[in-house]
């Protein structure tokens, strides 16, 4: 005890005497990351806003300062509003479904034992694939001619559907592929949160002969409230940035039904070369996402 | 007594029924992957006739052999490997040094700098990929491995995780070394780094997965076919399935694209699944 106290005192003396030198050492430890952070994250964030105030072309040197004209154009851009609606629709399907599915799977597979470890492994496994593998797999599954579901439909005598080409089915199809791809992460978050609920509360409930439903509602769900909010916010932010699935599975079609914000940004910038206009959209998306994250921080601080 | 036993019995059967349902869902979950895997081992002529069936009958390795000898796939795999390994090692280096400074060193402006770095967590990739593209264009640095690696080192998640980790290490371990007048770098290298192997492993695995699966940035930066990563390359060959005659080869390319990450996952599953909550629970 005393030795610990003296060593703390010694350490404090150390920091006081050699402080200037310690600062330099500390900054040297920080320097590599901070340099990369400033150049490749902070600077681009501001220069993105700067680019959005220009008529700026991807190739060549054409750039002209036009103030907020890009933002005024955006306001009047019917396709931009459509992509916002599409993205919001996609998020409003995937976020609740993903959260519910992740929670249901977490409750089902959190138990001890080999079988459940394998099951956890299976449901998480699809998250390690890249977006192009996921879209390849699901394009094959949903293909109206040679797809897995088409084969199944034919074998029971139903006419196969080309899901990705149908206006009604295209968006739900992207949502299903996204659920399959992404459920592992929120599931693992829920499992970790569930495991932190003290076991003795459950034991007390068992002594009271509380029903399963009551235990779930009164103990389990309140116990994971913070994780629930975290998962919701992470999912909203993630799903609003959806790009690869629409780009590779439907190309935004049919008739722009599945075109998302990020896909429109990509097309505007790298197909039409208008990176000034594309940057204005990116800024709008960023402000949107940033506000959602702030809401989470605010909710989190209110609870503590 | 009687009610208690019957309760337990009914709970037991409910659990069993639930387990059965989950097992069925898990089998369905894997079905698409098994089917794609099977197709990658079937001759293209057979796939033109029918894609049905979960077993590779008739069996062939032609799709894989063809990809390795005739296509750009080995090139893409090589690019992905270089990018993912470099990004992982560099991220570990930057995150552990910065994390150590934030957790354990005293210097003016520590708190403000930490908040400044954490704020970066709220900046999505989509907000910076256009200006980054303009930056690398002005340097004439697109279509290089460097361009694929360096921008990704600015993600602050690793710094955040390592700071959290180093904060949890008991102080007296370091203090003993301080009394011996060991330098900061020695303490960091000889004491803190070895202690943080589990955290570094988790961070490394996630960085590798992130790098391997990265899509948007490589899509806009590496536009020469030679410089594609496997993720972008695979996206580029997803033509029209209904008509393609080389369906088996496309499936084999997907298997190549997934093999490294699936292998990592199988070996390090524990680190990955439990690592997900590393940043959230503390």
């Amino acid at each position: 005890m005393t030795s610990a106290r003296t060593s703390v005192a010694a350490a404090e003396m150390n920091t006081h005497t050699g402080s200037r030198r310690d600062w330099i050492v500390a900054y040297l430890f920080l320097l590599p990351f901070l340099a990369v952070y400033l150049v490749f994250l902070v600077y681009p964030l501001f220069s993105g806003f700067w680019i959005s105030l220009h008529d700026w072309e991807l190739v060549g040197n054409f750039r002209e300062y036009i103030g907020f004209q890009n933002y005024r154009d955006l306001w009047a851009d019917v396709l931009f509003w459509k992509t916002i609606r599409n993205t919001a629709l996609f998020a409003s399907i995937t976020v609740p479904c993903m959260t519910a599915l992740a929670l249901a799977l977490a409750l089902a597979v959190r138990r001890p034992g080999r079988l459940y470890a394998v099951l956890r492994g299976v449901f998480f496994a699809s998250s390690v694939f890249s977006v192009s593998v996921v879209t390849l797999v699901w394009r094959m599954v949903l293909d109206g001619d040679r797809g897995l579901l088409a084969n199944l439909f034919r074998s029971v005598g139903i006419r196969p559907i080309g899901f990705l080409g149908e206006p009604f089915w295209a968006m739900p199809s992207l949502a299903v592929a996204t659920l399959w791809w992404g459920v592992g992460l929120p599931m693992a978050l829920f499992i970790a949160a569930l495991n932190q609920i003290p076991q003795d509360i459950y034991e007390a409930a068992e002594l009271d002969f509380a029903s399963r439903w009551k235990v779930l509602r009164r103990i389990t769900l309140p116990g994971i409230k913070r994780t629930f909010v975290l998962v919701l916010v992470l999912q909203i932010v993630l799903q609003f940035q959806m790009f690869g699935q629409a780009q590779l599975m439907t190309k935004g079609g049919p008739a722009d039904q599945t075109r998302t914000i990020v896909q429109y940004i990509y097309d505007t910038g790298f197909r039409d070369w208008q990176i000034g206009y594309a940057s204005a959209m990116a800024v709008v998306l960023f402000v949107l996402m940033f506000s959602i994250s702030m809401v989470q921080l605010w909710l989190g601080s209110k609870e503590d | 007594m009687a009610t208690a036993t019957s309760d337990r019995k009914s709970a037991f059967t409910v659990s069993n029924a639930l387990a059965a349902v989950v097992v069925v869902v898990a089998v369905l979950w894997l079905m698409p992957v098994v089917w794609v895997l099977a197709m990658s081992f079937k001759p293209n002529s057979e796939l033109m006739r029918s894609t049905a069936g979960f077993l590779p009958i008739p069996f062939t390795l032609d799709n894989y052999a063809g990809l390795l000898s005739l296509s750009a796939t080995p090139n893409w795999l090589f690019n992905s490997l270089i990018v993912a390994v470099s990004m992982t090692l560099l991220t570990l280096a930057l995150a552990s040094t910065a994390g150590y400074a934030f957790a354990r060193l005293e210097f003016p402006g520590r708190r403000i700098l930490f908040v400044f770095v954490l704020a970066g967590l709220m900046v999505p990739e989509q907000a910076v990929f256009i200006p980054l593209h303009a930056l690398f264009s002005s340097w004439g640095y697109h279509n290089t491995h460097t361009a694929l690696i360096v921008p990704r080192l600015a993600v602050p998640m690793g710094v955040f995780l390592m700071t959290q980790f180093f904060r949890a290490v008991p102080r007296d371990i370091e203090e003993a070394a301080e009394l011996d007048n060991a330098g900061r770098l020695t303490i960091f290298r000889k004491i803190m780094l070895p202690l943080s192997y589990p955290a570094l492993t988790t961070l490394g695995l996630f960085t590798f997965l992130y790098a391997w699966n990265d899509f948007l940035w490589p899509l806009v930066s590496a536009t020469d076919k030679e410089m594609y990563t496997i993720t972008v390359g695979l996206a580029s060959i997803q033509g029209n399935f209904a008509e393609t005659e080389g369906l088996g080869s496309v499936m084999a390319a997907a298997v190549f694209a997934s093999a490294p990450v699936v292998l990592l996952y199988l070996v390090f599953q524990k680190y990955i699944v439990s690592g997900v909550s590393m940043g959230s629970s503390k």
Side-chain angles (χ1 to χ4, degrees), chain B residues 183-199:
Chain B
R184 274 294 157 194
L185 197 61
T186 317
I187 294 176
F188 176 68
R189 261 185 34 223
K190 295 269 169 69
I191 299 175
M192 295 308 258
L193 270 192
L195 278 175
S196 59
Y197 280 153

Side-chain angles (χ1 to χ4, degrees), chain A residues 129-143:
Chain A
F129 294 119
S130 67
V131 66
S132 48
V133 170
V134 172
T135 56
L136 182 77
V137 167
W138 281 92
R139 275 185 67 181
M140 274 316 295
V141 169
L142 299 167
D143 189 90

Side-chain angles (χ1 to χ4, degrees), chain A:
Chain A
M1 218 27 221
T2 30
S3 76
R5 208 167 291 156
T6 42
S7 74
V8 167
E12 265 168 17
M13 259 168 62
N14 255 345
T15 52
H16 282 301
T17 48
S19 54
R20 178 72 46 92
R21 202 173 149 266
D22 277 5
W23 297 354
I24 295 171
V25 171
Y27 288 128
L28 286 178
F29 267 92
L30 277 177
L31 187 69
F33 176 77
L34 277 186
V36 173
Y37 182 68
L38 283 173
V39 177
F40 297 108
L41 199 130
V42 179
Y43 168 72
L45 188 60
F46 290 100
S47 85
F49 180 67
W50 178 241
I51 292 173
S52 79
L53 301 178
H54 291 73
D55 186 359
W56 189 311
E57 288 196 355
L58 180 68
V59 177
N61 281 323
F62 182 77
R63 51 199 65 168
E64 182 192 354
Y65 182 82
I66 53 169
F68 285 86
Q69 190 55 45
N70 281 328
Y71 293 88
R72 280 191 283 274
D73 289 348
L74 260 192
W75 187 257
D77 186 341
V78 180
L79 190 52
F80 181 63
W81 285 105
K82 190 175 174 67
T83 60
I84 289 194
R85 273 201 308 277
N86 288 342
T87 314
L89 173 68
F90 175 75
S92 68
I93 302 174
T94 46
V95 173
C97 291
M98 185 82 85
T99 311
L101 182 64
L103 183 56
L105 286 176
L107 286 167
V109 302
R110 61 180 287 233
R111 288 151 224 260
R114 257 196 102 74
L115 171 70
Y116 292 103
V118 172
L119 288 172
R120 282 195 293 275
V122 168
F123 291 119
F124 194 91
S126 39
S127 308
V128 305
F129 294 119
S130 67
V131 66
S132 48
V133 170
V134 172
T135 56
L136 182 77
V137 167
W138 281 92
R139 275 185 67 181
M140 274 316 295
V141 169
L142 299 167
D143 189 90
D145 185 33
R146 303 206 267 177
L148 184 61
L149 288 176
N151 290 338
L152 184 74
F153 279 26
R154 264 193 290 268
S155 70
V156 292
I158 310 174
R159 225 168 61 97
I161 304 173
F163 290 95
L164 296 170
E166 298 270 339
F168 177 77
W169 288 110
M171 194 62 102
S173 301
L174 297 188
V176 169
T178 306
L179 285 177
W180 184 81
W181 186 28
V183 85
L185 197 112
M187 179 190 78
L189 285 174
F190 278 134
I191 291 174
L194 289 169
N195 288 341
Q196 280 183 350
I197 300 175
Q199 201 53 45
D200 40 344
I201 304 184
Y202 285 110
E203 278 154 19
E206 205 169 298
L207 286 179
D208 288 345
F209 295 109
S211 69
R212 276 170 166 249
W213 175 239
K214 208 169 182 181
V215 170
L216 181 71
R217 246 188 37 212
R218 294 281 173 78
I219 303 175
T220 311
L221 293 184
I224 57 169
K225 212 165 75 188
R226 279 180 68 124
T227 305
F228 201 86
V229 174
L230 176 76
V231 166
L232 272 183
V233 171
L234 283 179
Q235 285 299 322
I236 293 172
V237 171
L238 200 68
Q239 303 309 340
F240 257 88
Q241 295 167 20
M242 192 267 258
F243 169 64
Q245 298 96 302
Q247 178 74 6
L248 297 174
M249 289 173 78
T250 59
K251 283 264 169 226
D256 290 325
Q257 290 282 335
T258 57
R259 187 172 298 274
T260 64
I261 303 174
V262 175
Q263 200 185 4
Y264 192 34
I265 296 175
Y266 172 79
D267 281 347
T268 306
F270 295 90
R271 191 194 58 196
D272 309 337
W273 292 9
Q274 300 301 320
I275 65 171
Y277 194 46
S279 283
M281 295 182 213
V283 169
V284 172
L285 179 67
F286 168 65
V287 170
L288 217 64
M289 297 302 96
F290 192 80
S291 338
I292 295 174
S293 304
M294 289 319 271
V295 168
Q296 190 227 345
L297 279 186
W298 177 69
L299 280 177
S301 66
K302 231 175 54 167
E303 255 172 49
D304 286 340

